[in-house]
Amino acid sequence: MSVDTVSVTGWGRTAPTTARLIRPRSYEEAAAAVVECAAHGARGGIARGLGRAYGDAAQNAGGSVLDMTGLDRIRRIDAEAGVVVCDAGVSLHRLMEVLLPLGWFVPVTPGTRYVTVGGAIGADIHGKNHHGSGSFSRHVLSFDLLTADGEVRTVPSGTDLFDATAGGMGLTGVILSATVQLLPVETSLMCVDTERASDLDDLMARLTADDHRYRYSVAWIDLLARGASTGRSVLTRGEHAPLDALPSRARRSPLAFSPGRLPAAPRFVPDGLLGRTTVGLFNELRYRTAPRARRTGEIQKLSAFFHPLDGVPHWNRLYGRSGFVQYQFVVGYGQEDALRRIVRRISSCTGGGRGCPSFLAVLKWFGDGDPGWLSFPMPGWTLALDIPANLSGLGAFLDELDEEVAAAGGRVYLAKDSRLRPEMLAPMYPKLARFRALRAELDPLGVFTSDLSRRLSL
Amino acid sequence: MKDAFGTPQSLLILGGTSAIGLATARRLVARRTRTVWLAGRPSPALESAAAGLRALGADVRTVAFDALDSTSHEEVLGKVFAEGDIDMVLLAFGILGDQARDEAEPLAAVRVAQTNYTGAVSAGLVCANALQEQGHGSLVVLSSVAGERARRANFIYGSSKAGLDAFTQGLGDALHGTGVHVMVVRPGFVRSKMTAGRAETPLATTPEAVAAAIELGLRRRSETVWVPGALRLVMSALRHVPRPLFRRMSAY
């Protein structure tokens, strides 16, 4: 078990703080680390996976951060029932490598494969299939949780502790291992339909009309387009390709998984590379190259469909030294007007006269909400966008959007947050009081603490 | 905790009646800052400063702090940090002195030096250690362009700020990589009650402008901030002016 003092940030690279990084290699070492966290002043500890949370969820100033990536064993695979038992530090990438050849796929994957199973539960991540499959924790049968007293509890789904932990941002304890129900697939390829939507209303109409036919669905929005084309977007929807849809050559190894990777982004990039001009050009190109009419049945690699950004390691560096923030919110059905207003505001936002260049803006709709008390998804529309953090006036602008989101009964996603006002949390998460009460009982000394929990008084 | 834009939730101002300190507090309270500690000698001015910030919605507490009493700093400031994390410390105390009198009365000059330099060294180190302990936070120190090159008109004040400035730069280097951010702020002539009645130098500025520059510096995690920014260029030129010429330029 190695211990170093390091500066830690989230994926957005804002607000660095220093912590002792502890790297347990076994459950026993993890338990010892938690006991040590409890003893080490009042600064506590928090588990961290691959650091893909955008904000400060997996950093703990002056305390300890438990790097869980050393706990990365896949313990048992039931290839008949499609159930895997694995350590919390196993990445979804690793699971795909191991499980795809057996004909199984992870039930839910976000926009990156480089998240751990523990992190997937802690943030209760969702993917392009939320409208049908719900969030990650819906497919978790149980997990082992190391709590503040140093004990390990097996937590089955359907219990209070499960629901507090799913989306609980690591504050109920350290997840050591999980049992996950998998999805059967015939091939490792995707069958994808692509089409353009000329504006936001067109997009919402298309999504509502036939999304139920697709397992996966996502729309990329050009948030720099204004006026009549506000909300113009490219819609990609797909399904795991069945064996008979594959060209004969690919049928020889239908379950092969070999995502390519480009060279990593350079370590030092000047601020402003992803400014209005470059992003505007990129967006224009992306929209223009999408087919005017619907293109159906295109066979794509898994990685191209789900994880295009994973192809560029450390792409977060492209935002330069100041880093970036991601803003993701959801508003319920019937709140389409609020969504339209917000999209219009972002499109016409002129932070410091330079516009609000959002390189990546993604819209999708969620199905039924998930039982996690601090789980993000709720039935409705969700929009996620990246914005360079050095844009002047951005903080105040996003605060205003928060007001709009909260007034519409919506919420922002804690795994991506790095700037929410603490007083906005309770209106957005109605089960917050329950979460706090359970946490106070389970961890009265506040052993599990993060910068996020301090900032928002979680 | 600070948010992604470096805006603190809790703020400690050393020199709680400082115009720049209060302008900064007002600006930050309008954003995220909810807790403000005003440290200074107990006085009606300190209380009314606290009341002013309370009216803006902040939770304000005052603490008796005397820059000249270095031996008390550890205890007084330790109590503040014991109450909870401080995301930002603004070291804003300092006195201008009266150059003519201070030249005539060495003890008066020593008082300027002890307040601006010695007091800041002890208070700064106490805060830096506490910030390091909590693993995050900004220490913002108000220096002055006067410290950049000694001028005939205010070299006693200037030399104390020069010492403070050098100290802060070194402290920033020492704390680099610890999660603690140290920022030197070098305002030019600031129109405030401290400078009331004095002849303005070119590129004069206001406490509000300094506050805005501090907020920007926090967002950018800057190490040095000049207010106004043009002073960076002006001073780097002035630094190289030969002394006989500089003497004539700064005769006022």
Side-chain angles (χ1 to χ4, degrees):
Chain A
M1 189 161 67
S2 67
V3 179
D4 295 301
T5 301
V6 294
S7 179
V8 185
T9 72
W11 190 242
R13 308 213 308 158
T14 55
T17 60
T18 303
R20 297 180 331 133
L21 192 75
I22 306 178
R23 208 157 182 276
R25 296 209 150 268
S26 66
Y27 296 165
E28 292 71 31
E29 284 188 356
V34 167
V35 171
E36 205 191 312
C37 288
H40 190 77
R43 311 292 302 180
I46 192 78
R48 180 180 173 98
L50 287 161
R52 253 49 173 200
Y54 286 79
D56 47 9
Q59 45 191 94
N60 179 23
S64 304
V65 169
L66 273 64
D67 178 344
M68 298 299 289
T69 54
L71 282 166
D72 59 354
R73 277 170 298 177
I74 296 177
R75 303 203 158 238
R76 206 167 55 245
I77 300 172
D78 181 340
E80 291 298 308
V83 174
V84 65
V85 182
C86 64
D87 285 354
V90 173
S91 69
L92 298 191
H93 173 78
R94 180 75 189 133
L95 281 183
M96 286 175 206
E97 279 182 338
V98 172
L99 297 170
L100 270 168
L102 302 173
W104 296 99
F105 190 58
V106 293
V108 166
T109 176
T112 170
R113 296 186 300 281
Y114 297 99
V115 296
T116 61
V117 169
I121 297 169
D124 200 14
I125 58 165
H126 57 270
K128 297 175 174 48
N129 56 346
H130 190 278
H131 57 281
S133 308
S135 63
F136 192 84
S137 65
R138 201 185 287 184
H139 308 270
V140 175
L141 306 176
S142 74
F143 51 76
D144 281 358
L145 185 72
L146 173 61
T147 45
D149 48 15
E151 299 292 311
V152 178
R153 301 164 194 231
T154 298
V155 186
S157 85
T159 58
D160 273 6
L161 187 51
F162 187 99
D163 293 344
T165 306
M169 306 311 293
L171 296 169
T172 55
V174 178
I175 298 167
L176 293 178
S177 68
T179 307
V180 185
Q181 176 69 55
L182 303 163
L183 177 77
V185 291
E186 289 182 20
T187 73
S188 66
L189 294 164
M190 302 300 295
C191 221
V192 183
D193 291 0
T194 309
E195 62 197 286
R196 276 195 211 173
S198 57
D199 61 33
L200 187 62
D201 286 326
D202 182 26
L203 172 65
M204 287 198 283
R206 283 169 195 259
L207 285 170
T208 326
D210 41 27
D211 238 21
H212 55 274
R213 297 198 287 114
Y214 298 93
R215 180 183 296 273
Y216 300 101
S217 149
V218 70
W220 161 84
I221 299 198
D222 177 4
L223 284 178
L224 286 176
R226 298 186 192 188
S229 55
T230 299
R232 70 173 182 180
S233 38
V234 179
L235 186 52
T236 49
R237 296 184 284 191
E239 179 60 78
H240 294 282
L243 192 59
D244 54 20
L246 260 50
S248 56
R249 211 160 51 103
R251 259 181 248 182
R252 267 180 264 150
S253 54
L255 291 163
F257 177 60
S258 56
R261 291 196 106 180
L262 296 167
R267 198 169 282 275
F268 298 104
V269 175
D271 273 12
L273 173 70
L274 298 184
R276 201 189 149 84
T277 319
T278 39
V279 173
L281 278 170
F282 176 85
N283 285 1
E284 191 68 37
L285 192 71
R286 186 152 175 182
Y287 183 75
R288 297 273 170 212
T289 50
R292 206 177 287 268
R294 185 181 294 189
R295 179 170 65 203
T296 57
E298 188 190 0
I299 300 292
Q300 276 187 9
K301 277 183 157 188
L302 263 178
S303 49
F305 180 72
F306 287 111
H307 318 116
L309 282 171
D310 281 348
V312 185
H314 298 294
W315 63 262
N316 57 338
R317 289 178 187 158
L318 295 177
Y319 281 95
R321 182 171 174 272
S322 306
F324 68 104
V325 295
Q326 177 153 97
Y327 191 68
Q328 180 168 7
F329 67 90
V330 55
V331 291
Y333 294 124
Q335 297 293 341
E336 286 75 11
D337 278 345
L339 179 68
R340 283 189 199 98
R341 268 199 307 277
I342 294 172
V343 167
R344 218 175 302 125
R345 285 185 72 164
I346 297 170
S347 301
S348 58
C349 155
T350 50
R354 287 177 293 169
C356 180
S358 182
F359 185 59
L360 273 178
V362 166
L363 184 95
K364 72 167 268 91
W365 61 284
F366 283 150
D368 289 343
D370 302 285
W373 293 348
L374 296 187
S375 200
F376 168 66
M378 58 189 267
W381 302 96
T382 180
L383 178 67
L385 50 142
D386 283 353
I387 316 167
N390 66 355
L391 210 65
S392 71
L394 182 60
F397 176 68
L398 293 180
D399 283 353
E400 288 170 24
L401 294 192
D402 287 342
E403 300 279 347
E404 189 107 43
V405 167
R411 56 175 70 128
V412 301
Y413 190 10
L414 295 182
K416 299 193 171 175
D417 178 55
S418 54
R419 26 91 18 220
L420 187 68
R421 261 179 303 169
E423 56 266 33
M424 299 304 290
L425 196 63
M428 290 181 170
Y429 288 90
K431 289 181 184 156
L432 179 66
R434 231 171 137 188
F435 177 81
R436 281 178 175 152
L438 181 134
R439 207 179 145 221
E441 196 184 318
L442 194 69
D443 180 8
L445 299 173
V447 172
F448 297 109
T449 309
S450 63
D451 287 359
L452 176 86
S453 79
R454 280 197 196 98
R455 180 168 56 83
L456 295 177
S457 311
L458 259 168
Chain B
M1 298 302 305
K2 283 198 276 188
D3 69 3
F5 312 111
T7 324
Q9 288 179 319
S10 55
L11 169 66
L12 164 63
I13 301 182
L14 302 177
T17 54
S18 140
I20 292 176
L22 292 173
T24 306
R26 280 195 297 275
R27 200 176 169 91
L28 294 177
V29 166
R31 296 277 304 121
R32 279 289 181 284
T33 308
R34 293 294 169 270
T35 313
V36 183
W37 287 87
L38 294 182
R41 275 178 312 220
S43 70
L46 190 65
E47 289 311 318
S48 81
L53 291 174
R54 270 186 210 116
L56 299 175
D59 172 16
V60 187
R61 296 165 78 174
T62 58
V63 54
F65 167 83
D66 183 354
L68 286 170
D69 184 8
S70 288
T71 50
S72 70
H73 289 178
E74 192 110 46
E75 192 199 336
V76 169
L77 299 175
K79 276 188 193 147
V80 173
F81 278 92
E83 297 273 326
D85 281 14
I86 299 289
D87 299 335
M88 169 176 165
V89 177
L90 177 58
L91 202 155
F93 62 78
I95 51 174
L96 202 48
D98 176 331
Q99 179 71 25
R101 185 202 63 202
D102 293 349
E103 280 177 37
E105 293 174 31
L107 279 181
V110 165
R111 192 165 164 272
V112 172
Q114 281 183 337
T115 307
N116 295 358
Y117 180 68
T118 319
V121 166
S122 73
L125 282 174
V126 168
C127 291
N129 291 339
L131 292 174
Q132 208 176 338
E133 194 73 14
Q134 67 182 26
H136 71 103
S138 287
L139 174 63
V140 179
V141 176
L142 288 188
S143 175
S144 166
V145 286
E148 192 63 13
R149 186 158 190 189
R151 257 183 345 119
R152 170 70 191 89
N154 64 0
F155 68 84
I156 293 173
Y157 170 79
S159 66
S160 71
K161 286 292 186 184
L164 173 63
D165 199 294
F167 165 76
T168 310
Q169 289 180 53
L171 188 61
D173 293 340
L175 293 182
H176 185 75
T178 63
V180 179
H181 162 225
V182 178
M183 182 163 90
V184 190
V185 181
R186 295 188 190 132
F189 185 98
V190 181
R191 293 182 201 107
S192 69
K193 71 172 192 287
M194 183 163 139
T195 57
R198 286 169 195 268
E200 280 188 15
T201 58
L203 292 174
T205 184
T206 61
E208 286 69 31
V210 180
I214 288 174
E215 195 191 6
L216 184 66
L218 289 172
R219 199 175 79 208
R220 293 183 174 163
R221 278 181 259 153
S222 307
E223 295 183 315
T224 315
V225 169
W226 297 83
V227 200
L231 274 175
R232 182 190 291 267
L233 282 174
V234 173
M235 290 313 294
S236 63
L238 276 183
R239 207 178 298 142
H240 301 288
V241 172
R243 277 183 71 189
L245 180 59
F246 187 74
R247 236 172 253 148
R248 288 221 306 256
M249 287 168 66
S250 61
Y252 51 84

